[in-house]
Amino acid sequence: MQDKINEIRRRALSELVSVTDSKALDDIRVRVLGKKGELMGILRSMGQVAADMRPLIGSWVNEARENIENAIADAQKAIAAKEMQRRLEKEKIDVTLPVKERSEGSLHPMSLVLEKLFDIFTGMGFEAVEGPEVEYDRYNFELMNIPQNHPARDAQDTFYVDDNIVLRTHTSPVQARIMTTRKPPIRIVSFGRVYRADEADATHSPVFHQLEGLVIDENVSMGDLKGTLDTFARRLYGEGVTTRFRPSFFPFTEPSAEVDLTCAACRGKGCRICKDTGWIEVLGSGMVNPKVLEMCGIDSKKYSGFAFGMGVERLSNLKYNITDMRNLYENDVRFLKQFRT
Ligand code: PHE
């Protein structure tokens, strides 16, 4: 009987050493340890054995079962490790394969300049506000001291939506909206799109962007305007860039000034971009016309203010040496990706 048990164990253990998959392992387990398996067979045949021998035989069977169960557990671990190994090999990544190129976006030059302008003016204590692009005639013209039939209306070829509504021709209506709803002190800037019925060419577009600034308080002078614009010029284009004021006319400012900046390309020496003058005209400005203050409900005896407005395309073209404004709108990536920061 002992020989028979030893033989079952020997065979099972030797088979378990070479088993390589869980199916074969299971077969061995059922054949040897199962209810109708080889070891149970021994126990079942106990009836023919002398009663005093039975405990001894039982202990042999138990010992064999324990050995085999341990061997099965070991084989199971080995198989699991091998299966993991096989899976890892199948999933191996070839790091030498070429990768699919990922094209990276970049900010549009207009966005870059707008962000910079935002930093410059909020840094000087201005609050950024917005106004609608589809605007009432009243804000775009009337409150800006440009009444019906005023020649300044013709100067700004206006897109009319109906008799009372226009696509705003400048950002100045934002001034009117702020002045009619707030009390001084006021210190705001406003960026946005404006519309004029112009043919698109290298320097014109029917849609472009303006930046408007407005300050109203007691004792605001033209010196404050000059100081603000000088600081803006230096911060946008660097040290050595300054402003030059030339007398001008706007219905909503009095006195008014056209403001030139030192040509950033040649630093004032004279070049093709500034047509050898050393200066570039970039903005309109002036002291807010007392008539405008009064129309908007602000006491012009107590308060004064300055305002300025500029074309943002102009500023970015000068900053990045862009010579044709249409490049800004065509969205050719070969053009746009040059402005990655
Ligand atoms: N609104 C003027 C324009 O579009 C610019 C400007 C703004 C001038 C504010 C003076 C003061 O040309």
Side-chain angles (χ1 to χ4, degrees):
M1 196 59 101
Q2 194 173 13
D3 287 348
K4 220 167 154 191
I5 294 170
N6 282 340
E7 174 54 21
I8 292 171
R9 172 172 36 205
R10 194 199 54 74
R11 207 177 123 213
L13 293 183
S14 85
E15 281 174 358
L16 283 173
V17 172
S18 54
V19 80
T20 53
D21 65 282
S22 23
K23 168 88 178 63
L25 181 69
D26 215 44
D27 288 347
I28 297 172
R29 192 180 54 75
V30 172
R31 194 195 74 220
V32 182
L33 304 179
K35 273 202 189 88
K36 293 179 185 152
E38 293 168 352
L39 284 181
M40 283 306 283
I42 301 275
L43 293 179
R44 252 198 302 274
S45 64
M46 275 300 225
Q48 299 146 26
V49 176
D52 57 346
M53 282 296 281
R54 284 177 197 162
L56 187 59
I57 295 174
S59 74
W60 289 337
V61 168
N62 279 341
E63 196 192 316
R65 178 195 291 137
E66 223 167 86
N67 294 157
I68 295 167
E69 276 172 352
N70 286 341
I72 287 178
D74 288 347
Q76 232 154 13
K77 263 188 233 147
I79 287 171
K82 243 182 236 146
E83 277 171 0
M84 174 65 93
Q85 179 72 21
R86 236 175 286 153
R87 225 180 57 220
L88 287 179
E89 264 160 32
K90 222 170 47 208
E91 290 173 4
K92 206 161 21 183
I93 296 169
D94 183 351
V95 291
T96 65
L97 282 176
V99 235
K100 198 165 163 234
E101 209 183 315
R102 191 165 58 100
S103 64
E104 227 172 81
S106 56
L107 285 179
H108 193 281
M110 285 291 291
S111 303
L112 292 171
V113 167
L114 282 172
E115 271 183 13
K116 185 94 186 144
L117 290 171
F118 183 85
D119 284 349
I120 292 172
F121 284 106
T122 54
M124 284 196 268
F126 284 80
E127 176 198 351
V129 298
E130 278 183 310
E133 292 171 24
V134 181
E135 184 56 285
Y136 289 110
D137 183 288
R138 179 173 131 82
Y139 292 116
N140 196 80
F141 292 126
E142 296 285 335
L143 290 175
M144 287 292 107
N145 196 30
I146 312 174
Q148 287 292 342
N149 304 319
H150 191 287
R153 291 208 177 201
D154 302 332
Q156 305 192 348
D157 299 305
T158 311
F159 288 113
Y160 280 87
V161 176
D162 63 30
D163 283 349
N164 295 315
I165 298 176
V166 300
L167 296 186
R168 67 178 179 188
T169 57
H170 51 178
T171 40
S172 299
V174 181
Q175 286 189 40
R177 284 179 172 269
I178 294 291
M179 284 190 281
T180 50
T181 52
R182 293 194 192 179
K183 294 208 170 342
I186 289 169
R187 204 183 320 171
I188 57 106
V189 280
S190 186
F191 316 92
R193 289 194 192 94
V194 300
Y195 301 82
R196 293 188 194 175
D198 278 326
E199 289 290 336
D201 64 24
T203 54
H204 293 87
S205 161
V207 188
F208 60 101
H209 296 74
Q210 279 192 344
L211 165 79
E212 190 87 9
L214 173 70
V215 172
I216 298 176
D217 204 346
E218 290 176 38
N219 301 318
V220 175
S221 76
M222 198 113 182
D224 298 318
L225 170 63
K226 171 92 171 143
T228 302
L229 293 178
D230 276 343
T231 306
F232 144 76
R234 264 201 322 271
R235 297 214 176 137
L236 185 60
Y237 294 113
E239 289 305 320
V241 173
T242 185
T243 61
R244 178 175 79 170
F245 278 49
R246 283 180 291 107
S248 184
F249 173 79
F250 298 102
F252 33 93
T253 48
E254 183 57 38
S256 303
E258 203 87 60
V259 181
D260 302 334
L261 297 189
T262 315
C263 176
C266 63
R267 300 272 142 180
K269 284 201 219 48
C271 68
R272 201 170 45 89
I273 292 171
C274 59
K275 300 200 183 74
D276 284 320
T277 62
W279 295 98
I280 306 258
E281 183 195 321
V282 290
L283 61 98
S285 70
M287 300 308 290
V288 180
N289 191 328
K291 212 173 151 195
V292 170
L293 292 177
E294 293 296 336
M295 278 194 287
C296 292
I298 292 174
D299 182 355
S300 65
K301 302 242 167 16
K302 185 166 181 206
Y303 295 106
S304 56
F306 65 75
F308 55 86
M310 57 187 104
V312 183
E313 279 77 357
R314 203 78 208 282
L315 299 176
S316 75
N317 289 354
L318 291 171
K319 189 155 178 70
Y320 297 114
N321 286 324
I322 298 166
T323 49
D324 191 327
M325 190 162 154
R326 285 167 292 194
N327 285 323
L328 293 173
Y329 305 120
E330 282 165 358
N331 287 333
D332 183 332
V333 285
R334 291 167 302 179
F335 169 78
L336 294 177
K337 72 182 176 192
Q338 300 172 63
F339 305 97
R340 208 169 279 175
T341 45

